[in-house]
Amino acid sequence: RDRTLQLLVDNVDRLPVEHVISQLEGNSGYEHLYLDRLFKTDAKRGAAYHNRQVELYAEHEPECLLMFLRSSENINWKAALQICRAKSMIREQVFVMGRMGDTHNALKLIMTKLGDVKEAVRFIMEHHDDDLFDLLIELCLKSANLISDLLEHLASVEGAMRTIDPLVLIHKIPSGIKIPGLRDKLVKIV
């Protein structure tokens, strides 16, 4: 099977992608293996099938979909988002929403579905949108543990402290809330 796939990919001039795909119709497993190999060999050759590949990765190799989404420039992002939602693929949804410019909802998804403050801080830094820090602070103020995580990760993600004034964050914390390890986290930040 591996040799056959490689022969098909190596001889794409003699056996065009369209012809191979038409022969594989109805066998999504082989279609996925062929398009995956083609993409890894020459992403441009199968560019017309990248939207189909989103479906195939979601079905056959969901752990590889995010890598594919990051690598392809030939994807209908709206359709990809629908596929990711249908399969409850949260990290993939966040990536696609970020690509579509829906960073506020992507950040909310990180916090509501993953509860991962470190990933949220990385997402904000990746998108260079300081307004997202205000949203993250607002989302974290609902829980002492989230505030604690935010303080922890602001110090650990490179560049995050240039964006947020820790004193502003501290003043926003509701009075009476007990934050685990607050003193140690503040020392780390300052």
Side-chain angles (χ1 to χ4, degrees):
R1 178 175 82 175
D2 206 42
R3 278 185 66 189
T4 303
L5 285 171
Q6 197 57 49
L7 279 169
L8 290 170
V9 169
D10 289 344
N11 292 290
V12 79
D13 293 331
R14 290 188 195 133
L15 290 167
V17 176
E18 306 80 42
H19 178 72
V20 174
I21 292 297
S22 70
Q23 296 301 309
L24 295 174
E25 195 172 311
N27 191 332
S28 66
Y30 284 120
E31 186 180 359
H32 168 66
L33 291 172
Y34 171 69
L35 288 172
D36 176 62
R37 178 72 58 94
L38 183 64
F39 179 75
K40 289 175 179 170
T41 304
D42 182 359
K44 290 183 176 125
R45 287 275 184 156
Y49 297 94
H50 286 194
N51 288 322
R52 175 70 176 135
Q53 277 186 273
V54 172
E55 296 173 43
L56 294 170
Y57 274 111
E59 182 181 337
H60 296 284
E61 261 187 304
E63 69 280 1
C64 296
L65 178 57
L66 187 56
M67 176 277 311
F68 178 74
L69 292 170
R70 289 183 187 278
S71 302
S72 176
E73 295 296 324
N74 300 293
I75 292 175
N76 175 328
W77 296 111
K78 212 175 215 180
L81 182 59
Q82 289 176 332
I83 291 166
C84 294
R85 281 184 175 149
K87 298 279 187 177
S88 299
M89 302 174 87
I90 304 302
R91 283 179 167 66
E92 291 78 1
Q93 287 179 59
V94 167
F95 176 79
V96 172
M97 292 167 81
R99 285 294 296 258
M100 295 172 68
D102 191 5
T103 54
H104 280 71
N105 285 324
L107 180 61
K108 287 178 183 176
L109 192 61
I110 292 170
M111 294 306 297
T112 57
K113 296 293 185 180
L114 301 176
D116 189 338
V117 175
K118 189 170 189 173
E119 184 161 332
V121 172
R122 281 193 193 125
F123 178 82
I124 293 168
M125 297 304 294
E126 184 178 301
H127 287 275
H128 310 288
D129 185 346
D130 294 346
D131 291 341
L132 290 175
F133 271 117
D134 292 333
L135 176 59
L136 179 59
I137 290 168
E138 179 186 316
L139 294 169
C140 287
L141 289 176
K142 297 173 182 171
S143 156
N145 288 333
L146 289 177
I147 295 169
S148 177
D149 286 351
L150 180 58
L151 290 168
E152 177 82 24
H153 297 305
L154 285 177
S156 68
V157 176
E158 189 175 326
M161 287 312 300
R162 288 191 303 258
T163 308
I164 288 186
D165 180 353
L167 293 176
V168 171
L169 173 59
I170 291 163
H171 288 304
K172 287 185 176 188
I173 297 172
S175 61
I177 195 165
K178 302 271 187 234
I179 299 170
L182 178 61
R183 186 177 54 91
D184 294 338
K185 287 173 178 53
L186 290 176
V187 167
K188 206 174 183 182
I189 290 174
V190 180

